[in-house]
Amino acid sequence: MEKMKKIIYPGTFDPITNGHLDIADKASKLFDELIFVVANNPDKNPLFNVEERMEMIRRSTTHLSNTCVESTSILTVDFAKENTALAIIRGLRHVSDFEYEFQMAMMNYQMAPEITTIFMMPNEKYVHLNSSVLKDIAKLKGDVSEYVPEYVLEQLLSKLNS
Ligand code: ADP
């Protein structure tokens, strides 16, 4: 039997947005399984804890049958190897993303040449979106309902009002 082709989608996902989901929708169609890997990195001072971020991803991906959600504190390439993933998916929005993403992809390539980093661009609607901008707008009571699934919106509003 042919081996399952897995891809991992690492990120902070604080919280997951429709931009992340746009990439996940497309990448999950190209592989047998897509694993969201939530970074357990307290240095980034996330608004949501790891379990909250994982639950928001789970609830936002019920329409995708071949995805699952994990968290990790180890190197992305080590996680990929341990889970027999072939590739890492990352989103690219602007040229400004490119420098950082290119550096990381090259470092990962040095550490694990057998793992391929794949980049995808989102629908242009989400090109300016990231979790930080989303949180900034929501904090100032702006309407972000177009940019996140309903459950995430509820969690965001309840966290910011608590
Ligand atoms: P990280 O801290 O690893 O950058 P993020 O959750 O911010 O974690 O992003 C994870 C991945 O998702 C990155 O590759 C990022 O470029 C991508 N991403 C984030 N927002 C969007 C978006 N609006 N459209 C496409 N890709 C996105």
Side-chain angles (χ1 to χ4, degrees):
M1 211 177 78
E2 229 187 297
K3 253 180 55 184
M4 281 257 284
K5 289 192 169 57
K6 295 189 212 170
I7 187 161
I8 63 168
Y9 188 6
T12 310
F13 302 107
D14 185 43
I16 188 162
T17 68
N18 290 343
H20 290 122
L21 284 168
D22 186 69
I23 300 291
D25 279 359
K26 289 186 276 206
S28 66
K29 292 192 175 72
L30 303 176
F31 284 78
D32 298 314
E33 186 178 357
L34 179 145
I35 310 173
F36 285 90
V37 186
V38 177
N40 187 359
N41 179 0
D43 297 348
K44 283 215 170 172
N45 240 327
L47 179 65
F48 294 98
N49 68 34
V50 171
E51 188 40 55
E52 290 169 333
R53 284 182 270 151
M54 292 175 77
E55 184 61 14
M56 286 187 278
I57 299 174
R58 280 187 215 109
R59 298 230 191 181
S60 306
T61 51
T62 49
H63 61 294
L64 299 174
S65 58
N66 64 336
T67 62
C68 65
V69 188
E70 307 271 352
S71 74
T72 191
S73 332
I74 66 172
L75 275 175
T76 303
V77 283
D78 290 339
F79 185 92
K81 283 195 260 182
E82 278 180 19
N83 288 274
T84 62
L86 297 174
I88 298 169
I89 183 78
R90 296 284 292 177
L92 265 191
R93 287 154 295 180
H94 301 113
V95 179
S96 53
D97 277 348
F98 181 79
E99 218 170 315
Y100 172 71
E101 293 292 342
F102 181 68
Q103 182 183 28
M104 211 158 54
M106 286 301 122
M107 286 307 292
N108 285 339
Y109 186 66
Q110 298 299 320
M111 292 186 282
E114 70 277 29
I115 313 260
T116 305
T117 302
I118 298 176
F119 294 105
M120 266 186 201
M121 286 157 201
N123 182 312
E124 65 182 347
K125 193 169 169 196
Y126 306 125
V127 155
H128 303 298
L129 177 64
N130 66 34
S131 303
S132 306
V133 169
L134 180 90
K135 285 180 284 188
D136 287 345
I137 297 173
K139 267 180 213 157
L140 299 174
K141 313 260 183 259
D143 179 9
V144 293
S145 54
E146 257 185 79
Y147 300 112
V148 283
E150 208 169 310
Y151 178 75
V152 175
L153 183 64
E154 285 163 22
Q155 296 304 300
L156 195 56
L157 298 182
S158 96
K159 180 72 88 178
L160 294 174
N161 291 322
S162 63

